[in-house]
Amino acid sequence: MLLVACMPAPKAPEPPPAPQVVGEPKVIALRPFGLLADNRPSTVAGLATLTSYSNGQTLLELSLANLPPNLSYAANLRLGTCSNLGQVALNLGSVFADGRGVGKGSTRVPTSQIPTERATVVVYQRDVTDPKGIGGAIACGEL
């Protein structure tokens, strides 16, 4: 027993290093697109920022203004352009608008899942009458 008491305590493993940003973040302007639920033209605008990290992940952050307040909006990354939307490549989760109509949302995705061909970030007005809960596009920006 005395030998055990004299032995040094095992060292705790070193935590892995924090992922580092790889390159410059890519910033995409999101412009008004389509109609709001009340059939007025959208004035929703903002930015999508893609930041790649050394651990193979990309953080996609959305920041929007002029949203109808106190509501939730859906976002996704689609193949194609704003004028010719293709299939959904990635669901980007939700954007929540505060009482001033300012919305933010973020999602981490594997960098390998971000399309290398033409792709578009699209924000949708949620519509409870739509079976999928997503209405028409209200903001769009091309990568």
Side-chain angles (χ1 to χ4, degrees):
M1 285 222 161
L2 290 175
L3 292 176
V4 172
C6 293
M7 294 180 70
K11 288 186 178 180
E14 293 280 327
Q20 301 296 310
V21 172
V22 176
E24 291 293 317
K26 184 170 187 169
V27 179
I28 296 108
L30 300 175
R31 294 182 170 80
F33 188 87
L35 300 174
L36 297 173
D38 61 5
N39 287 322
R40 288 181 298 127
S42 174
T43 59
V44 176
L47 298 174
T49 305
L50 288 87
T51 307
S52 295
Y53 289 88
S54 59
N55 64 354
Q57 296 286 307
T58 293
L59 176 64
L60 197 146
E61 298 171 289
L62 300 173
S63 178
L64 296 151
N66 300 329
L67 291 162
N70 301 314
L71 295 172
S72 171
Y73 300 86
N76 61 37
L77 187 61
R78 297 182 75 130
L79 300 179
T81 64
C82 291
S83 60
N84 187 21
L85 293 174
Q87 71 184 32
V88 173
L90 289 169
N91 287 314
L92 302 177
S94 297
V95 174
F96 300 97
D98 65 15
R100 298 173 298 134
V102 174
K104 295 190 180 293
S106 66
T107 270
R108 284 191 188 277
V109 298
T111 302
S112 62
Q113 290 184 7
I114 296 175
T116 55
E117 65 245 42
R118 260 196 129 137
T120 305
V121 175
V122 184
V123 178
Y124 299 90
Q125 173 102 20
R126 290 202 188 262
D127 180 353
V128 294
T129 63
D130 184 311
K132 294 182 181 176
I134 297 176
I138 57 172
C140 187
E142 297 174 14
L143 298 181

